Amino acid sequence: MTIKDKSVVVIGAGPAGLRAVEALSKAGLRPILIDEAPLPGGQIYRQPPVGARRDPKSLYGFEATKASDLHGLIVRLGDQIDYRPETLVWGIEGHRLDILSNGQFSQISFDALILSTGAMDRVIPFPGWTLPGAFTLGAAQIALKSQGVAIGRRVALVGAGPLLPLVAYQYWKAGATLCAVLDVTPFSPKVYNLLRLMRKPGTFAKGLWYTLRLALAGHPIQSGVRAIRAEGADRVEALVWIDVSGKERRVEVDAIGASFGLKSEAQLADLAGCRFVFDAKSRQWQPERTPEGRSTVPGIYLAGDGSGIGGADVAELTGEMAALSLIEDLGQPVEKARIQDLAKQLDTYAPFRTALEAAYPFPHHLIDQIDDSVMICRCEGMTAGQLRQAVSQRGATEMNRLKALTRIGMGRCQGRVCGPAAAEVLAREAKSTIEAVGRLRCNPPVKPIPVREVF
Amino acid sequence: MRERLRTDVAIVGGGIAACAAAVELRKAGLGVIILEKGRCGSGASGVNFGGVRQQGRDLRELPLSARARPLWDGLNALLGEDVEFEATGHLKLARSEQDMAELEAYRVAALGCGLDLTMLGANAVRAELPWLGDKVVGASLSPTDGQANPRVVGPAFARLAAKLGVDIREFTPVLSASRSDTGFSIESETLSVSSRFLINTAGAGGGLLASIFGEPVPITPQSPNMLVTEPLPYFISRSIGVCGGDVYIRQVRRGNAIFGGGSGWHDPELGFSRPSNEQSLGGMRRTLQLVPQLTNAQVIRTWSGTDGRMPDNIPVIGPSSTTPNLFHAFGFSGHGFQLSPAIGLILAELVTRGETPSPIDPFSIKRFANWQGSTTGISDHTDH
């Protein structure tokens, strides 16, 4: 059996997965690229549906060239890869994937697998967050990029990371009415970390540009917001917040985009048996990844935000890196110089990332303001009060026990949305740490699958 | 520094039966320590289907099952918590005339053991559940059976035990155990426990503990395979099983349909079980034959767990055959949930009085003293 006969699968067609299949096909492999979306690009470079194409410049701004290049990869690689869009991998057992595509169940066996499964918004519940009209920042961006629509006519955006100025800028450019742009992290760490942020002048300049351009347009980002809540009877009617000086402010809106950083989508790595480590800075568990993209399970490789939040550019580099490690492990020589070059490039992002994390510290005060009536698990209708009671009266000190006792994380999202917030609430109530309360164990399916007659 | 403890009764394994026994022993004034390798109620007690069922059991289990049944009515009051027990009845479906004959034969035999079952023909069962699939030709109904939430019963029992003064040590796997003239010594990594009595409720690990005391048993790990749908309008008003046991279905009040059958896979090295995706897909087909209405319902979760299975599919319960003051209750072979509160009473009786009114002779560990049979080759199916 030559390397060409090996079954190599890449899951996720974002920047990491696309660069991975490019490197794999260059080495003579014909990887299978599986993606849930109908078109490649991942969340960051998500494309409008066929028939609704728009100018990349208007969709991706500064990143238009990068986006177009990645989108074009699928066409350029043509038959050199086996591209399977609109396909869900819902389980992994050993070296076999369980697939749902076009309503049909099937399986794929693999010799080697790259997981580039991306990230999603981190949700911190606040009063009113489940009202219709409340979205995450990522969802607000997807609505714009994919469908060319804003989430509402009068929009407020709230965040705790570099996505906030970007989405706000994109909404402003698209002509949406921005009623408030609120950053729940303080302004000062951004100043302190200015010099370190300058390490990546290009990226920094873009963030600065979005911020300044917004300010010039009359939409300054308000930092240091202490608390927020959405108001409305049947849907979002207003956003109320406590500003940096402690004053309550209110603006009438019909939509809110609010989320607070990113969390890795690592369910498949969990099912594959990868060991997880706790990342204290981003306060989340992630699959352990070597700088070369190897997981703790032989034959399984990790790339992109699914195993460490680094952003799109880092994802491209880690995607290629994981592919080269995979090729090397299959016994085919790889260009050492290229690996060193990738490592060097990745090194330049590390201090920037550190500075970014320092500039946008975790908004602990938003967790502290979650009162007992706030819904945490919207699938199962569990409030913070019910979780706290399970901790104080029923002895839950760990996430899976909390789940068993309350149903938190047992609904459609399986804890993807509510898990991190529930861990924060649990850790505070149990006077423990996010690391000590652990993480929800994953079981298949990673996303819902229909009951069908299969075989 | 090793912690040294002395007590009357040491219990290895913290499932429902163990905690229920501990509660009774405390009420009798004895000191009790529970050593649990994970969390109390997180083993077979917590990850089973949740069936509270007498119907379909081995006839020898029926007296124990009958003793357990009224205890379920009182669990909420005893535990101070809603364990979601509902006497929805248990309907065992027949998919052939042969199945019907089997059900009728069981009905007659069970009546002799005090369990009253009602046979339903094809029309009667459809009058009861009009949505049943074409495959169903009849059923046998046990109206007093039901279902409960297995995730909450064990932890609630453990809390009650702790409140009564039981010393519960979680994440404390037992490494060795021995007996001398003065009593038992049980060692974990950090703990040495001396006790007068030892109770083995270690589930799938029960065989290992028994073999330490010179009475090995042919126990194998058993992992169920279960699926849960998103919440649906409530319509599956009975807990459902079938002849052959390859599928079982219930719906919780919240609306989620739970169905299972077949086996997950067990990793002996990691010591845990996971659902098998192939079995899950197979379970979908078998379930749809009985409940076609579940077509296209979304499965949001699957789960498995580990129990110990005995080759004759009934548990080991009772005194050790080699060691005085050692009592076993393990190997419930996938159907110990309903029995567990009664098993607790029986264990406490054995410790405090040396005897129990329940007929436990058929479950004696002695039956494996000269066991020649194989541990495999038995049916993969368990009745639920």
Side-chain angles (χ1 to χ4, degrees):
Chain A
M1 193 168 172
T2 69
I3 185 172
K4 288 187 171 47
D5 302 317
K6 295 281 186 188
S7 169
V8 175
V9 178
V10 177
I11 302 176
L18 289 168
R19 288 300 174 209
V21 291
E22 182 184 41
L24 292 167
S25 69
K26 209 185 275 177
L29 290 156
R30 186 167 182 271
I32 299 171
L33 175 61
I34 300 175
D35 193 46
E36 282 181 54
L39 292 165
Q43 300 295 3
I44 182 88
Y45 301 130
R46 183 186 275 259
Q47 302 189 57
V50 177
R53 290 289 159 81
R54 277 168 294 143
D55 172 29
K57 189 76 201 157
S58 72
L59 282 167
Y60 311 110
F62 293 121
E63 325 296 341
T65 314
K66 260 186 251 175
S68 300
D69 185 44
L70 282 168
H71 293 157
L73 249 182
I74 297 287
V75 180
R76 287 200 301 283
L77 292 173
D79 200 35
Q80 294 169 55
I81 64 167
D82 177 355
Y83 172 51
R84 303 189 191 182
E86 292 184 275
T87 299
L88 170 72
V89 179
W90 59 270
I92 299 182
E93 270 176 43
H95 277 228
R96 199 193 65 215
L97 305 174
D98 292 286
I99 307 287
L100 177 66
S101 182
N102 214 359
Q104 299 295 312
F105 287 100
S106 62
Q107 295 175 332
I108 296 175
S109 293
F110 64 85
D111 296 300
L113 172 69
I114 296 177
L115 293 171
S116 43
T117 43
M120 64 177 280
D121 295 291
R122 182 208 295 268
V123 170
I124 297 178
F126 52 87
W129 76 284
T130 57
L131 283 171
F135 296 77
T136 63
L137 281 176
Q141 198 185 33
I142 285 167
L144 201 60
K145 278 192 287 203
S146 174
Q147 301 294 325
V149 296
I151 53 173
R153 292 182 189 282
R154 294 175 52 80
V155 177
L157 299 172
V158 189
L163 190 60
L164 176 68
L166 173 62
V167 176
Y169 173 77
Q170 289 169 331
Y171 263 64
W172 170 73
K173 278 275 281 186
T177 305
L178 281 178
C179 300
V181 184
L182 309 179
D183 183 345
V184 297
T185 66
F187 181 67
S188 51
K190 295 172 188 60
V191 178
Y192 294 142
N193 286 284
L194 207 57
L195 280 176
R196 287 202 290 167
L197 286 166
M198 292 292 282
R199 293 279 187 87
K200 217 69 196 167
T203 314
F204 174 68
K206 278 179 269 180
L208 199 61
W209 164 255
Y210 300 140
T211 308
L212 290 175
R213 195 67 196 79
L214 281 166
L216 281 175
H219 303 293
I221 297 177
Q222 299 187 36
S223 293
V225 166
R226 294 185 189 178
I228 56 165
R229 71 171 188 269
E231 286 183 353
D234 301 317
R235 55 165 298 115
V236 168
E237 289 166 15
L239 178 72
V240 181
W241 72 96
I242 310 288
D243 72 12
V244 67
S245 64
K247 204 172 122 201
E248 182 169 294
R249 304 181 58 175
R250 186 177 193 277
V251 62
E252 286 188 11
V253 294
D254 59 5
I256 297 169
S259 50
F260 308 90
L262 295 172
K263 65 172 273 277
S264 296
E265 281 281 85
Q267 297 88 347
L268 288 174
D270 195 359
L271 290 183
C274 297
R275 190 164 64 220
F276 277 54
V277 286
F278 184 71
D279 179 52
K281 267 184 281 188
S282 63
R283 296 176 78 76
Q284 59 185 301
W285 290 86
Q286 287 167 331
E288 195 175 330
R289 175 173 87 187
T290 68
E292 293 76 33
R294 291 181 179 89
S295 76
T296 54
V297 177
I300 294 184
Y301 302 82
L302 303 164
D305 280 356
S307 43
I309 306 300
D313 296 349
V314 170
E316 284 192 47
L317 299 171
T318 57
E320 185 180 350
M321 184 72 113
L324 293 177
S325 296
L326 184 158
I327 294 160
E328 192 176 23
D329 293 349
L330 287 179
Q332 182 153 310
V334 292
E335 212 185 314
K336 289 280 182 216
R338 181 59 188 157
I339 291 184
Q340 282 163 12
D341 180 41
L342 287 171
K344 204 180 286 173
Q345 286 189 59
L346 281 168
D347 278 347
T348 66
Y349 282 92
F352 178 72
R353 193 71 221 166
T354 308
L356 207 55
E357 279 157 354
Y360 291 101
F362 184 78
H364 291 275
H365 56 292
L366 291 195
I367 305 286
D368 295 331
Q369 67 153 314
I370 295 176
D371 70 38
D372 281 354
S373 66
V374 173
M375 188 68 70
I376 302 293
C377 170
R378 59 181 173 178
C379 300
E380 293 296 321
M382 299 301 306
T383 62
Q386 286 168 294
L387 298 187
R388 288 177 182 134
Q389 195 188 27
V391 178
S392 61
Q393 288 172 32
R394 298 165 79 192
T397 54
E398 183 265 344
M399 280 298 283
N400 292 290
R401 181 44 65 102
L402 186 70
K403 173 180 171 179
L405 294 181
T406 65
R407 305 189 70 85
I408 176 102
M410 278 200 177
R412 278 190 76 94
C413 89
Q414 288 292 291
R416 292 166 59 232
V417 174
C418 61
E424 296 284 350
V425 170
L426 167 57
R428 271 170 179 68
E429 187 68 16
K431 302 197 168 40
S432 180
T433 64
I434 293 295
E435 185 175 8
V437 301
R439 64 195 177 88
L440 291 172
R441 261 190 307 274
C442 188
N443 264 329
V446 300
K447 288 185 183 164
I449 55 172
V451 180
R452 294 266 168 81
E453 292 239 10
V454 183
F455 49 72
Chain B
M1 240 306 270
R2 288 190 74 72
E3 191 179 353
R4 292 178 188 283
L5 299 168
R6 177 167 286 280
T7 190
D8 296 314
V9 187
I11 304 180
V12 179
I16 300 170
C19 295
V23 165
E24 288 304 306
L25 291 165
R26 276 304 296 152
K27 285 183 185 166
L30 296 175
V32 186
I33 295 176
I34 293 178
L35 302 170
E36 160 59 45
K37 75 172 161 60
R39 284 177 194 278
C40 285
S42 66
S45 289
V47 293
N48 63 78
F49 176 62
V52 179
R53 165 187 65 81
Q54 302 167 81
Q55 168 160 243
R57 287 183 180 276
D58 188 295
L59 297 174
R60 292 167 290 183
E61 286 182 1
L62 286 181
L64 277 54
S65 192
R67 189 176 179 189
R69 176 58 189 81
L71 298 176
W72 283 94
D73 293 318
L75 273 195
N76 286 359
L78 175 70
L79 301 173
E81 179 170 333
D82 183 9
V83 299
E84 298 168 37
F85 171 66
E86 277 195 79
T88 54
H90 178 262
L91 204 56
K92 189 162 181 177
L93 303 178
R95 291 173 287 191
S96 66
E97 286 310 316
Q98 202 183 331
D99 284 356
M100 280 303 274
E102 186 188 305
L103 289 179
E104 172 59 19
Y106 184 83
R107 185 191 68 81
V108 172
L111 194 57
C113 302
L115 178 63
D116 200 356
L117 302 173
T118 308
M119 293 297 291
L120 301 174
N123 292 338
V125 76
R126 279 194 179 72
E128 164 95 18
L129 304 175
W131 39 261
L132 281 170
D134 297 340
K135 277 228 158 194
V136 179
V137 301
S140 151
L141 173 68
S142 175
T144 57
D145 285 345
Q147 45 190 303
N149 183 345
R151 297 189 312 273
V152 300
V153 182
F157 252 118
R159 273 196 306 285
L160 176 61
K163 208 192 285 177
L164 295 174
V166 175
D167 186 354
I168 297 178
R169 302 299 176 111
E170 296 187 318
F171 298 106
T172 308
V174 166
L175 300 177
S176 69
S178 61
R179 185 183 153 86
S180 67
D181 294 343
T182 52
F184 293 93
S185 300
I186 304 106
E187 307 285 328
S188 80
E189 206 183 312
T190 55
L191 200 63
S192 296
V193 179
S194 320
S195 68
R196 285 161 55 210
F197 296 92
L198 177 61
I199 293 179
N200 173 14
T201 41
L208 207 58
L209 191 56
S211 67
I212 290 177
F213 292 97
E215 40 190 353
V217 292
I219 188 172
T220 49
Q222 170 184 14
S223 306
N225 198 80
M226 282 168 283
L227 297 82
V228 188
T229 71
E230 65 194 323
L232 307 166
Y234 189 76
F235 73 106
I236 306 173
S237 50
R238 305 278 196 192
S239 185
I240 292 174
V242 292
C243 289
D246 56 347
V247 52
Y248 38 92
I249 307 159
R250 70 184 182 103
Q251 188 176 16
V252 301
R253 280 285 165 188
R254 158 89 184 131
N256 310 76
I258 301 172
F259 59 99
S263 303
W265 53 275
H266 178 76
D267 187 326
E269 254 173 60
L270 293 171
F272 68 77
S273 299
R274 271 221 163 112
S276 149
N277 296 338
E278 284 208 23
Q279 293 275 347
S280 295
L281 295 174
M284 286 183 181
R285 180 182 52 78
R286 295 191 297 272
T287 301
L288 288 177
Q289 287 172 351
L290 305 178
V291 195
Q293 210 164 312
L294 285 175
T295 303
N296 287 334
Q298 297 284 321
V299 170
I300 57 175
R301 181 171 83 247
T302 61
W303 87 88
S304 184
T306 310
D307 197 4
R309 160 174 248 145
M310 307 314 297
D312 50 4
N313 260 323
I314 56 169
V316 171
I317 305 167
S320 159
S321 64
T322 62
T323 313
N325 292 348
L326 167 62
F327 300 98
H328 300 292
F330 64 86
F332 284 84
S333 307
H335 51 265
F337 183 56
Q338 190 266 359
L339 298 176
S340 56
I343 303 302
L345 298 185
I346 291 168
L347 287 167
E349 287 158 357
L350 289 171
V351 168
T352 55
R353 291 190 246 150
E355 57 178 18
T356 169
S358 291
I360 58 168
D361 287 348
F363 310 104
S364 169
I365 195 165
K366 281 186 204 150
R367 71 188 194 271
F368 298 114
N370 295 301
W371 182 259
Q372 298 293 321
S374 96
T375 57
T376 54
I378 48 165
S379 155
D380 220 16
H381 302 316
T382 309
D383 279 350
H384 281 271

